[in-house]
Amino acid sequence: HHGAAYNLSLALKRLGKDAESAAARERWQRIRDGKQRVATLRAQLRQTPNDAAIIGALAKQHLEMGDVQEAYRAYQEALRLQPREPELLLGLASTLTAAGRVSDAEGIYRAVLRQQPPVRGALEPLVTLLRQRGANDEADSIVAEAEKVTPREP
């Protein structure tokens, strides 16, 4: 991916397609930076194995780079260490959504909203998924219930 994105940016530049070249170069830089962050996180993990926070950060980085399978694997590993950690659960749900496993993601968002205290970070993505499949009444009900439990700040 890395080399191909760079070569594409050069080829587009030569063709005078500056906007497309800039977009390809930006993608190349994101991949390069992501690979550097992955390498740094892996080095940290060698120093402190079984650190769910580092594994979660690695999973998040893989997801940002579009590597859904690696993100899923890393989130599963982190959740074995900290099974109720909301940020890890939300990351897994985002990964499942990216993989097209929307009903699995919805289940995780619902579980996170049922935690005490409820994690509001699960509300918006769950409501979005419900509305995308036309379950507007259910989405409205979940929002109303969330407002009762934790009213929004003014």
Side-chain angles (χ1 to χ4, degrees):
H1 292 17
H2 184 250
Y6 180 74
N7 290 336
L8 178 61
S9 78
L10 293 178
L12 289 167
K13 182 76 171 168
R14 283 190 206 111
L15 292 172
K17 298 188 175 198
D18 292 338
E20 293 94 334
S21 174
R25 183 166 176 77
E26 184 178 306
R27 182 172 185 276
W28 168 73
Q29 288 172 328
R30 264 195 329 273
I31 292 169
R32 184 197 61 200
D33 294 347
K35 285 183 175 191
Q36 289 172 344
R37 283 192 292 275
V38 165
T40 299
L41 289 165
R42 287 190 194 279
Q44 291 173 353
L45 202 52
R46 282 191 295 276
Q47 297 299 314
T48 54
N50 296 323
D51 184 318
I54 295 173
I55 298 168
L58 187 61
K60 183 177 181 180
Q61 184 58 54
H62 281 299
L63 185 59
E64 288 174 7
M65 293 169 56
D67 191 348
V68 176
Q69 280 187 309
E70 253 327 284
Y72 178 78
R73 188 200 60 71
Y75 276 122
Q76 292 287 52
E77 183 180 342
L79 284 163
R80 275 194 293 280
L81 299 167
Q82 290 187 343
R84 292 185 47 80
E85 174 55 42
E87 290 305 312
L88 296 174
L89 290 164
L90 292 175
L92 178 60
S94 293
T95 302
L96 290 169
T97 300
R101 294 176 51 189
V102 174
S103 62
D104 292 336
E106 284 181 16
I108 291 172
Y109 287 130
R110 290 175 197 279
V112 172
L113 281 172
R114 286 192 300 268
Q115 285 186 359
Q116 293 303 319
V119 178
R120 292 216 32 127
L123 183 62
E124 184 178 333
L126 175 58
V127 168
T128 299
L129 291 176
L130 291 171
R131 292 199 191 290
Q132 285 173 349
R133 68 173 172 87
N136 292 320
D137 290 344
E138 187 178 359
D140 292 343
S141 172
I142 288 171
V143 169
E145 187 61 33
E147 291 297 323
K148 284 192 255 179
V149 174
T150 53
R152 288 186 195 185
E153 301 193 14

